[in-house]
Amino acid sequence: MQNRKLVIFSVLILLGLFFIGGYLYKNSKQTSVTKISDEQAWLLQKPYSFVIGNKNAKVQLVEFFDPACGACAYFYEKVEKLMKEKDGKIKLVLRYAPFHKNSNYAVKMLEGAREQGLFIETLEYMFKTQSQWIENHVVNPQKLWALLPNIKGLDMDKLAFFMNEDKADEIIRQDLEDVEKLKIDKTPSYFVNGEELKVFGWDNLVKLIDSHL
């Protein structure tokens, strides 16, 4: 009888240690993920980064994009729709990765439009008209410039003045520096609450977002 009690007691102790160990391991993993996210926070969002949506949203979706990227244009509409469906639970942080030749000019024009409060309107117009100002994956700045007066309210004189300033150049430099540190080599590239989307694809992105909601 005593041996039986001893065996039961030993089993209970082992089970207790197992559950305690599992709990500690789980907490350790969560702390590790949080720590990684904190370390990446400065790389993923800068004070100047353009944010769309609820700034206090549960999910921070960071996208490194190129205005001349066809996939970026395609995913933009899908992300926009998803954000509406999730009703304020996602904020989109836009960062630049101008990999196409001459894309820096498109970024500067976009930032110039932002100075006039027309960032989203200009970005969406650029995406919709890509076929008119991109030739063989190369941006034609003159053709893009000729199209921009079609954006209602955009002051082209102010935009021309902005193009000669260094503000956008500094933003591009900083974003590309972060791109290099994060080892980003394609657009669009996504991070959800600091976790990188490893396998590209819409379904995979939605699953990653849902895992953080």
Side-chain angles (χ1 to χ4, degrees):
M1 179 66 72
Q2 288 182 341
N3 288 339
R4 184 179 179 185
K5 288 181 178 179
L6 182 62
V7 170
I8 293 173
F9 182 69
S10 298
V11 170
L12 289 174
I13 290 177
L14 288 172
L15 286 172
L17 290 173
F18 174 79
F19 285 114
I20 291 172
Y23 175 78
L24 292 175
Y25 175 76
K26 181 179 180 181
N27 277 0
S28 173
K29 291 288 286 182
Q30 289 176 341
T31 301
S32 174
V33 170
T34 301
K35 184 178 180 182
I36 292 171
S37 179
D38 289 343
E39 289 174 350
Q40 285 187 326
W42 182 245
L43 291 176
L44 293 174
Q45 182 175 350
K46 291 292 191 287
Y48 60 76
S49 301
F50 193 86
V51 179
I52 299 175
N54 177 14
K55 294 185 178 181
N56 298 314
K58 186 175 182 180
V59 169
Q60 178 204 55
L61 175 61
V62 179
E63 177 184 350
F64 285 85
F65 81 103
D66 183 336
C69 164
C72 296
Y74 175 74
F75 271 72
Y76 176 83
E77 292 186 3
K78 296 177 78 68
V79 168
E80 186 180 38
K81 182 179 178 181
L82 181 65
M83 289 175 67
K84 290 179 181 178
E85 292 174 354
K86 298 300 181 181
D87 192 26
K89 295 179 180 178
I90 303 171
K91 72 171 181 178
L92 175 62
V93 180
L94 292 173
R95 302 292 305 278
Y96 298 117
F99 292 154
H100 287 70
K101 186 176 180 180
N102 294 335
S103 274
N104 58 311
Y105 290 104
V107 170
K108 290 190 71 170
M109 293 176 200
L110 184 54
E111 282 295 310
R114 178 181 178 179
E115 292 283 305
Q116 300 182 40
L118 293 168
F119 180 92
I120 293 178
E121 293 85 348
T122 304
L123 175 63
E124 292 180 352
Y125 183 77
M126 285 184 176
F127 280 155
K128 290 177 182 177
T129 60
Q130 282 179 341
S131 62
Q132 300 180 52
W133 52 273
I134 301 172
E135 301 169 341
N136 298 318
H137 305 290
V138 176
V139 172
N140 186 317
Q142 290 78 20
K143 287 189 175 181
L144 176 57
W145 184 264
L147 289 168
L148 293 183
N150 292 319
I151 300 172
K152 186 177 180 180
L154 187 63
D155 188 320
M156 296 302 292
D157 290 333
K158 289 182 179 179
L159 184 59
F161 182 82
F162 181 87
M163 294 294 289
N164 292 318
E165 294 186 325
D166 297 330
K167 184 175 181 179
D169 292 319
E170 178 58 25
I171 290 174
I172 294 170
R173 184 199 65 76
Q174 182 60 71
D175 278 12
L176 284 176
E177 187 177 300
D178 292 341
V179 161
E180 184 176 356
K181 290 177 180 177
L182 292 165
K183 296 179 171 38
I184 293 171
D185 59 4
K186 64 181 181 302
T187 56
S189 285
Y190 294 100
F191 292 80
V192 179
N193 286 352
E195 184 178 351
E196 184 179 6
L197 178 66
K198 295 290 187 180
V199 181
F200 185 73
W202 176 247
D203 290 341
N204 291 332
L205 179 59
V206 173
K207 288 177 183 177
L208 182 57
I209 291 172
D210 285 342
S211 73
H212 286 269
L213 287 175

